[in-house]
Amino acid sequence: MALLGLGWWRDHAGIWADKAFLTNVFSSVTTASFGVPLALVILNRVAMVQAEAVEACAWRRLAMRVAGQCAASCVPRHAGRPRRTARSGQVFR
């Protein structure tokens, strides 16, 4: 803000009239003072959103893997052969 105020004051005082290069340098520094922090804030937010999306995708993959393992453990291992119980001798399919 100080650079902006200083530039505005010098513009009204007419100091920049015959100093074209210095005017451009001062304008560039003032612009960078606003633009760089703003860009960092925006890029930080974009990176956070992307990281959250990657994490959510990883959790979905983990949930699918666990659900698949759970479903696989519920299926009988010898589905094609009849099983007999030890007590009654009944055949189950």
Side-chain angles (χ1 to χ4, degrees):
M1 289 305 267
L3 289 174
L4 187 62
L6 181 64
W8 180 78
W9 172 73
R10 288 190 169 205
D11 188 38
H12 280 281
I15 296 173
W16 303 120
D18 59 343
K19 297 172 184 69
F21 178 73
L22 187 58
T23 303
N24 287 336
V25 169
F26 192 80
S27 296
S28 297
V29 169
T30 303
T31 302
S33 298
F34 286 102
V36 170
L38 184 63
L40 290 176
V41 168
I42 291 171
L43 289 177
N44 186 32
R45 179 65 184 148
V46 168
M48 285 176 35
V49 168
Q50 185 178 13
E52 289 171 0
V54 167
E55 186 177 352
C57 186
W59 279 108
R60 278 192 296 268
R61 282 194 308 265
L62 178 64
M64 293 299 290
R65 188 175 340 130
V66 169
Q69 289 174 352
C70 182
S73 69
C74 293
V75 175
R77 294 183 184 187
H78 305 288
R81 290 188 296 173
R83 295 180 299 160
R84 296 184 186 272
T85 61
R87 292 186 187 164
S88 66
Q90 294 177 329
V91 176
F92 293 98
R93 291 203 179 261

